[in-house]
Amino acid sequence: MGNKIQFIDRLRLGFAVSVAKSVTFIVQFLRLGAASVLPGAIARRIQPRLLELLSQQVKNGVILIAGTNGKTTTALLLCTILEGKGFRITHNSTGANLENGLISALLESTNLLGTLNADYAILEVDENIVPRVLAPLQPRIILCLNLFRDQLDRYGEVDTISKRWTKVISTLPAETVVIPNADDPTLSNLGQQLPQRVLFFGLNEPEHYLEAIPHAVDSIYCPRCGHSLDYKGVYLSHLGDFTCPKCGFTKSKPTLESNEWSQILVGLYNKYNTLAAATAAIELGVDQATIRDTINNFQAAFGRAEDLVINGKRVRILLSKNPVGTNETIRVVTQSTDKTTLLVLNDRTPDGTDVSWIWDVDTEKLVERGGTLVVSGDRVYDMALRLRYSQKSPESNLNLIVEEDLRQAIATALEHTPENETLHILPTYSAMLEVREVLTGRKIL
């Protein structure tokens, strides 16, 4: 009976893969998109166990990367490190991080018979579906980057997600390696409770502390007893060096000394991405010389501190999709001498339809420095209103331009950007795709 079930599973697997590859060909041939989700959705209906059957074939195991911010950059860096050592990698590089996207990514490395040929699968996973995919994926390594409030209309509170993660991860095999962010109290606590082998990453660079805890802060209370945490300093949002004066809970010790490592790209948040990928690569046996060389030559994923040259002018795209991420991209902008910024706010499904999060963003810092701010997107007037409320004085030297048409907004922002400066564009996710399509003449998804 068991052999019959296995035969039927294999038969359905082969049929599902054939159908999925046909769908991929048609979608891409007709230029309807990258086929990053639809093939997986169709194949999964034919073979419901597809995710499990494909992931079991990955030779050296699945590396799962979860968290609110930084998944794409961390995954791309780790992919680049491992590919540099000659490994074959499967990765959901388009950012499709729900079940159908994961399946579609695995299908790319699968032949028509359903045989997958990859040494590692590096999969970015939406934080809300982690409990659903851990059992079929049985990951070798789980990277837990951070937990922030993101799409208010879709997800529950940070501590709810963390509890679900802890419950499911604790049921995985003992040889599973979990790598949480030591600076995130919720994830530091998660790692301290797990029976598996746990390695932590985090910063030990007090010179980068913020002057004060920002408005967009999620978890400054002890995840064990609920008492307010004492922070020696914060690096961003609630990430920092902390202890609980009541129960003694404290930050876990990171595996790597952060001040001994350079970072990829701009922004302190990318230091976390660097350390996460480096910790995982070392655990996989990659030598530090290769890791450091890859970091020093790394190119940004699309829309994540990506630099382009348009009409002879430098443009930098900084994805800004939630309060914490936007505060960090604003920090990058305000630390530069460039005076022109384009903000694009959409409220579509990939962005989250509730845009009230913009009132938790410290836009005052962007407004105070003056210069030209161009605003566009589906919710252009919401963002314009937020910026107006950020002005302490109507006599400030801010030049605020509201432009509903995105293409015209980009053209206007470029016109206001001097030849020797960089235009910073801060878009939400769907807006980032639109911006790139305008700038490069092609779609990503």
Side-chain angles (χ1 to χ4, degrees):
M1 183 68 178
N3 290 335
K4 182 178 180 181
I5 293 175
Q6 289 180 358
F7 174 75
I8 293 174
D9 269 342
R10 291 293 302 180
L11 191 65
R12 293 175 72 177
L13 173 62
F15 181 56
V17 170
S18 298
V19 170
K21 287 189 175 294
S22 298
V23 172
T24 299
F25 174 79
I26 293 170
V27 170
Q28 294 180 347
F29 180 77
L30 296 177
R31 297 183 179 181
L32 299 176
S36 58
V37 175
L38 184 60
I42 295 174
R44 191 171 156 208
R45 285 184 172 274
I46 299 171
Q47 171 51 281
R49 295 182 58 223
L50 196 58
L51 190 60
E52 175 187 353
L53 293 172
L54 292 177
S55 61
Q56 286 175 351
Q57 299 181 56
V58 181
K59 293 182 178 63
N60 297 329
V62 173
I63 301 164
L64 186 150
I65 300 178
T68 310
N69 292 343
K71 294 187 291 292
T72 298
T73 300
T74 304
L76 184 58
L77 176 57
L78 187 54
C79 282
T80 307
I81 292 170
L82 293 175
E83 286 173 343
K85 300 299 289 184
F87 292 109
R88 293 182 299 274
I89 310 297
T90 288
H91 171 218
N92 51 335
S93 57
T94 63
N97 55 24
L98 301 178
E99 287 106 317
N100 294 334
L102 305 182
I103 292 171
S104 295
L106 293 170
L107 286 169
E108 290 183 11
S109 299
T110 305
N111 65 21
L112 290 174
L113 298 177
T115 302
L116 187 146
N117 184 22
D119 297 306
Y120 292 99
I122 298 179
L123 301 177
E124 307 168 35
V125 178
D126 182 285
E127 58 266 36
N128 208 40
I129 72 159
V130 167
R132 296 207 301 267
V133 300
L134 283 180
L137 288 177
Q138 290 290 300
R140 174 176 174 177
I141 292 178
I142 303 173
L143 274 168
C144 304
L145 301 183
N146 46 61
L147 282 176
F148 303 123
R149 282 178 299 142
D150 191 14
Q151 298 184 23
L152 302 180
D153 54 310
R154 290 179 58 201
Y155 299 150
E157 293 299 322
V158 165
D159 58 345
T160 302
I161 295 174
S162 172
K163 288 175 182 176
R164 293 172 60 205
W165 282 17
T166 305
K167 181 179 179 180
V168 180
I169 293 174
S170 62
T171 65
L172 294 175
E175 58 268 22
T176 306
V177 177
V178 184
I179 307 178
N181 188 335
D183 295 356
D184 187 321
T186 304
L187 295 181
S188 195
N189 180 56
L190 176 150
Q192 292 177 20
Q193 295 184 69
L194 293 174
Q196 289 87 0
R197 182 157 175 260
V198 178
L199 306 173
F200 291 93
F201 69 94
L203 300 181
N204 52 354
E205 303 176 45
E207 65 272 21
H208 292 307
Y209 285 158
L210 292 172
E211 294 179 2
I213 295 178
H215 292 121
V217 63
D218 296 307
S219 182
I220 56 174
Y221 297 98
C222 178
R224 294 189 179 178
C225 71
H227 194 278
S228 296
L229 292 170
D230 281 348
Y231 275 89
K232 186 177 179 181
V234 293
Y235 295 110
L236 66 94
S237 186
H238 59 275
L239 307 189
D241 296 325
F242 55 83
T243 57
C244 177
K246 183 177 181 181
C247 72
F249 168 68
T250 190
K251 169 180 171 176
S252 306
K253 180 175 174 55
T255 302
L256 302 179
E257 291 291 327
S258 68
N259 53 17
E260 297 176 359
W261 290 81
S262 60
Q263 73 175 71
I264 54 172
L265 314 176
V266 297
L268 191 62
Y269 55 95
N270 276 315
K271 188 65 175 280
Y272 281 110
N273 299 334
T274 303
L275 294 167
T279 303
I282 291 172
E283 171 63 21
L284 294 171
V286 181
D287 60 282
Q288 290 198 23
T290 296
I291 299 171
R292 292 180 189 276
D293 182 65
T294 305
I295 291 170
N296 292 334
N297 294 283
F298 184 74
Q299 298 294 316
F302 66 88
R304 279 80 171 176
E306 180 183 18
D307 289 331
L308 303 170
V309 176
I310 307 296
N311 299 335
K313 296 183 180 181
R314 188 181 178 198
V315 176
R316 174 172 288 165
I317 304 174
L318 298 165
L319 178 65
S320 304
K321 63 186 182 73
N322 54 37
V324 173
T326 306
N327 275 344
E328 287 306 298
T329 56
I330 286 176
R331 191 191 325 191
V332 170
V333 173
T334 55
Q335 287 176 346
S336 74
T337 57
D338 307 307
K339 294 296 185 179
T340 306
T341 306
L342 169 61
L343 299 99
V344 190
L345 178 65
N346 282 357
D347 61 351
R348 303 173 196 178
T349 300
D351 313 292
T353 56
D354 184 348
V355 298
S356 62
W357 61 266
I358 63 174
W359 294 92
D360 289 330
V361 176
D362 296 326
T363 49
E364 288 79 8
K365 296 178 180 178
L366 191 61
V367 170
E368 285 170 10
R369 71 196 298 264
T372 298
L373 296 181
V374 183
V375 187
S376 190
D378 299 339
R379 302 295 290 268
V380 56
Y381 294 104
D382 294 78
M383 180 56 76
L385 182 64
R386 176 68 186 101
L387 295 174
R388 281 299 185 198
Y389 267 94
S390 302
Q391 285 183 267
K392 293 183 178 179
S393 169
E395 287 77 33
S396 67
N397 60 344
L398 174 67
N399 178 26
L400 180 61
I401 301 174
V402 178
E403 178 53 66
E404 294 182 14
D405 182 79
L406 178 60
R407 190 174 294 272
Q408 183 57 49
I410 293 173
T412 300
L414 283 169
E415 289 174 7
H416 283 80
T417 304
E419 295 290 342
N420 61 341
E421 292 189 8
T422 297
L423 167 62
H424 290 91
I425 302 180
L426 279 55
T428 54
Y429 189 80
S430 71
M432 180 266 290
L433 298 178
E434 289 184 303
V435 166
R436 289 198 83 262
E437 183 181 1
V438 172
L439 293 177
T440 67
R442 62 179 186 274
K443 292 183 179 180
I444 297 299
L445 297 178

